[in-house]
């Protein structure tokens, strides 16, 4: 029989699916924690509201007398274009990530997708994190749900993607079915039809490998029952480790260096950082696609210690910033930026994804790794960053190297 705690967890995820469907603003971690705390006081009310709203329904007791909360029976074939897991791995497609909390395409975005024949978007749906609620207790719950303010362009395959923190997977790995139901509720609500695969993104290590692998196995079983496949991001440090139980991987060729090390030249992408993991040829036991960065950011440091990542620094403002060596800028005036206090004397290191560095790494990958898939994915769809590249450069990044 399901315990009261299990029933409560199911109700939490189901009702948060309702929030994900109809909320006007994305839910922050603090909001999620407060929401959970409030719901604890009215477990019965949660179930009743769920039934009334039609987002959850009580399931009849089985022969053992146990009850559960389930999503409505879905006619997946009418809203989600499903194919066998193996079929989704065969057709090569230009792809890109969409990694924002609001899904809204600009005219630039739509033209970029069309111009570069992009047929697949890895769309971040929400994160799963372990956050503290108002009672001081930690809960593993979905947070920062993407708000949909636009429709998916015709002919685009969507890969719903969920980022799972190491804090979450370390303390709870028993939410695979709940996560799938929440994703499915969002797909139904927003009529996202062309879905063949779901992706999970987690920076698992030796200490969390068993938990993450167990989670992937349970999630894959659930997806197979619904004719969907499972993929996972693979980081460079995971290449020499055991392969997770998924159908396909995406090798992340970004965030290759440490943002915390003051000696780092470029933490986004550095050929030397990648080369260190590819001293010899690698045969990975999963089909791999490869994701390359097309973004920039500023690393704010104080007394050589990392403080925060900045995205909207206007380095042309010579009253506030003075260019130094190695992409570093000295802060000349105290001010606030992106809700952060920037102090005089702080250093901001500008980091970019350059076309030349991407192509160097792409050639290295082609020489060291063979893959049955080998598609190229850009991270991510953002006009401010993509406009740094010429059209021919984007085309060349997408072009396979023989």
């Amino acid at each position: 029989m399901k315990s009261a705690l299990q029933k409560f967890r199911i109700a939490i995820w189901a009702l948060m699916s309702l929030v994900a469907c109809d909320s006007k603003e994305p839910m922050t971690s603090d909001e999620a924690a407060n929401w959970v705390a409030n719901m604890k006081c009215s477990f019965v009310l949660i179930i009743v509201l769920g039934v009334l709203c039609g987002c959850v329904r009580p399931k009849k007791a089985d022969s053992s007398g146990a009850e559960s909360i389930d999503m409505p029976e879905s006619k997946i074939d009418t809203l989600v274009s499903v194919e066998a897991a193996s079929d989704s791995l065969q057709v090569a497609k230009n792809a890109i990530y969409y990694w924002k909390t609001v899904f809204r395409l600009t005219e630039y975005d739509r033209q970029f997708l069309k111009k570069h024949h992009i047929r697949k978007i890895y769309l971040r749906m929400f994160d799963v994190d372990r956050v503290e609620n108002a009672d001081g207790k930690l809960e593993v719950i979905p947070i920062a749900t993407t708000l949909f303010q636009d429709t998916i362009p015709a002919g685009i395959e969507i890969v719903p993607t969920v980022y799972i923190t190491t804090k979450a997977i370390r303390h709870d790995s028993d939410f695979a079915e709940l996560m799938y139901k929440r994703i499915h509720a969002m797909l139904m609500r927003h009529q996202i039809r062309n879905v063949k695969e779901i992706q999970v993104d987690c920076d698992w290590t030796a200490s969390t490998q068993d938990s993450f692998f167990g989670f992937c196995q349970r999630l894959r079983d659930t997806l197979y029952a619904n004719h969907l496949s499972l993929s996972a991001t693979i980081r460079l440090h995971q290449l020499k480790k055991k392969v997770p139980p998924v159908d396909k991987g995406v090798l992340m060729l970004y965030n290759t260096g440490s943002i915390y090390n003051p000696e780092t030249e470029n933490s986004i992408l550095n050929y030397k950082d990648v080369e260190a993991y590819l001293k010899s040829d690698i045969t990975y036991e999963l089909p791999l696609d490869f994701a390359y960065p097309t973004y920039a950011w500023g690393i704010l440091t104080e007394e050589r210690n990392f403080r925060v990542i900045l995205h909207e620094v206007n380095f042309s403002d010579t009253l506030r910033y003075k260019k130094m060596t190695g992409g570093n800028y000295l802060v000349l005036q105290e001010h606030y930026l992106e809700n952060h206090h920037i102090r005089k004397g702080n250093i901001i290191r500008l980091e970019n994804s350059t076309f030349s560095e991407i192509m160097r790494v792409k050639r290295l990958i082609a020489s060291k790794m063979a893959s049955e898939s080998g598609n190229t994915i850009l991270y991510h769809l953002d006009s401010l960053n993509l406009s740094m590249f010429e059209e021919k450069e984007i085309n060349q990044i997408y072009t396979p190297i023989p």
Side-chain angles (χ1 to χ4, degrees):
M1 292 180 65
K2 284 186 171 65
S3 67
L5 178 60
Q6 287 175 311
K7 291 181 179 180
F8 174 74
R9 290 180 69 244
I10 294 173
I12 290 294
W13 280 72
L15 261 292
M16 290 185 78
S17 296
L18 188 67
V19 173
C21 291
D22 296 317
S23 64
K24 293 183 179 180
E25 297 293 340
M27 183 177 285
T28 65
S29 58
D30 290 340
E31 291 169 340
N34 290 333
W35 189 89
V36 171
N38 293 334
M39 289 300 101
K40 282 185 175 179
C41 300
S42 53
F43 174 66
V44 175
L45 180 59
I46 289 176
I47 299 178
V48 173
L49 288 174
V51 173
L52 291 176
C53 293
C55 210
V56 295
R57 64 174 178 81
K59 200 174 187 178
K60 293 182 179 179
D62 58 22
S63 58
S64 66
E67 294 183 351
S68 64
I69 305 300
D70 205 352
M71 304 299 292
E73 290 296 330
S74 59
K75 296 184 178 180
I76 297 179
D77 56 336
T78 63
L79 283 177
V80 182
S81 173
V82 296
E83 298 180 5
S86 60
D87 292 342
S88 69
L89 304 178
Q90 300 303 316
V91 181
K93 298 182 179 76
N94 288 350
I96 197 165
Y97 278 95
Y98 191 96
W99 210 260
K100 301 178 182 180
T101 55
V102 176
F103 182 77
R104 180 176 57 243
L105 297 178
T106 65
E107 183 59 27
Y108 178 96
D109 296 335
R110 292 180 181 277
Q111 289 302 317
F112 186 89
L113 296 173
K114 183 178 180 180
K115 190 184 305 179
H116 297 288
H117 310 288
I118 295 171
R119 295 292 177 263
K120 182 186 285 191
I121 295 177
Y122 290 80
L123 202 165
R124 177 196 163 280
M125 304 296 278
F126 52 85
D127 299 342
V128 177
D129 198 3
R130 188 170 187 249
V131 296
E132 189 174 285
N133 61 28
D135 296 329
K137 296 181 180 179
L138 295 171
E139 303 278 354
V140 173
I141 54 174
I143 64 168
T145 299
T146 294
L147 173 67
F148 285 81
Q149 295 184 348
D150 211 339
T151 56
I152 306 298
I156 298 288
E157 177 187 342
I158 294 298
V159 180
T161 303
V162 176
Y163 173 68
I164 303 171
T165 69
T166 52
K167 289 188 300 180
I169 204 67
R170 179 175 288 112
H171 290 90
D172 183 2
S173 60
D174 193 26
F175 55 89
E177 186 174 357
L178 296 175
M179 192 182 86
Y180 167 70
K181 288 180 177 179
R182 189 167 197 269
I183 292 171
H184 181 258
M186 294 176 69
L187 297 177
M188 295 285 286
R189 170 65 178 83
H190 301 292
Q191 300 187 22
I192 300 175
R193 295 178 171 86
N194 191 5
V195 176
K196 305 171 186 176
E197 165 193 349
I198 286 175
Q199 183 171 106
V200 289
D201 176 22
C202 183
D203 189 10
W204 55 271
T205 59
S207 64
T208 52
Q209 175 178 302
D210 290 344
S211 294
F212 179 68
F213 283 22
F215 166 82
C216 287
Q217 186 61 62
R218 289 185 289 275
L219 180 57
R220 186 163 69 163
D221 290 345
T222 298
L223 296 182
Y224 276 14
N226 292 276
H227 311 290
L228 297 168
S229 65
L230 176 63
S231 66
T233 55
I234 306 296
R235 287 158 174 80
L236 287 166
H237 71 84
Q238 296 166 343
L239 279 176
K240 298 293 181 68
K241 296 182 174 66
K242 188 178 177 181
V243 173
V246 298
D247 302 298
K248 182 179 178 181
V250 172
L251 183 61
M252 288 174 49
L253 293 162
Y254 54 92
N255 296 354
T256 59
S258 172
I259 59 175
Y260 303 102
N261 185 350
E263 303 301 326
T264 298
E265 295 179 7
N266 191 335
S267 65
I268 295 176
L269 180 64
N270 186 300
Y271 180 89
K272 293 179 181 178
D273 292 335
V274 179
E275 186 184 36
Y277 292 95
L278 302 175
K279 292 296 185 183
S280 58
D281 292 355
I282 292 180
T283 301
Y284 199 67
E285 297 178 8
L286 275 179
L288 282 178
D289 288 338
F290 303 100
Y292 296 93
T294 53
Y295 62 92
W297 61 27
I299 304 296
L300 176 64
T301 62
E302 185 169 353
E303 297 180 354
R304 295 175 61 82
N305 294 315
F306 169 83
R307 279 190 58 197
V308 73
I309 295 175
L310 299 170
H311 298 277
E312 300 174 3
V313 185
N314 179 12
F315 289 110
S316 63
D317 185 348
T318 56
L319 295 179
R320 286 183 170 178
Y321 311 108
K322 178 182 178 181
K323 192 175 188 326
M324 302 172 68
T325 59
N328 293 313
Y329 287 80
L330 175 67
V331 177
L332 301 176
Q333 291 181 353
E334 182 177 6
H335 61 283
Y336 283 85
L337 181 64
E338 300 175 35
N339 296 320
H340 299 292
H341 184 195
I342 314 299
R343 300 181 180 89
K344 181 179 179 180
N346 286 174
I347 300 295
I348 303 176
R349 183 175 70 245
L350 174 61
E351 297 185 347
N352 284 302
S353 317
T354 66
F355 171 70
S356 60
E357 197 75 350
I358 291 171
M359 292 308 298
R360 284 186 73 201
V361 171
K362 189 176 175 72
R363 287 189 286 269
L364 175 66
I365 292 295
S367 68
K368 295 291 186 178
M369 299 188 69
S371 175
E372 298 174 10
S373 181
N375 297 327
T376 294
I377 309 170
L378 300 185
Y379 182 92
H380 64 118
L381 186 56
D382 179 86
S383 59
L384 181 63
N385 289 314
L386 287 170
S387 61
M388 298 186 304
F389 295 85
E390 298 179 14
E391 181 178 342
K392 64 181 181 180
E393 291 177 336
I394 296 294
N395 287 336
Q396 195 166 340
I397 294 171
Y398 272 127
T399 302
I401 293 178

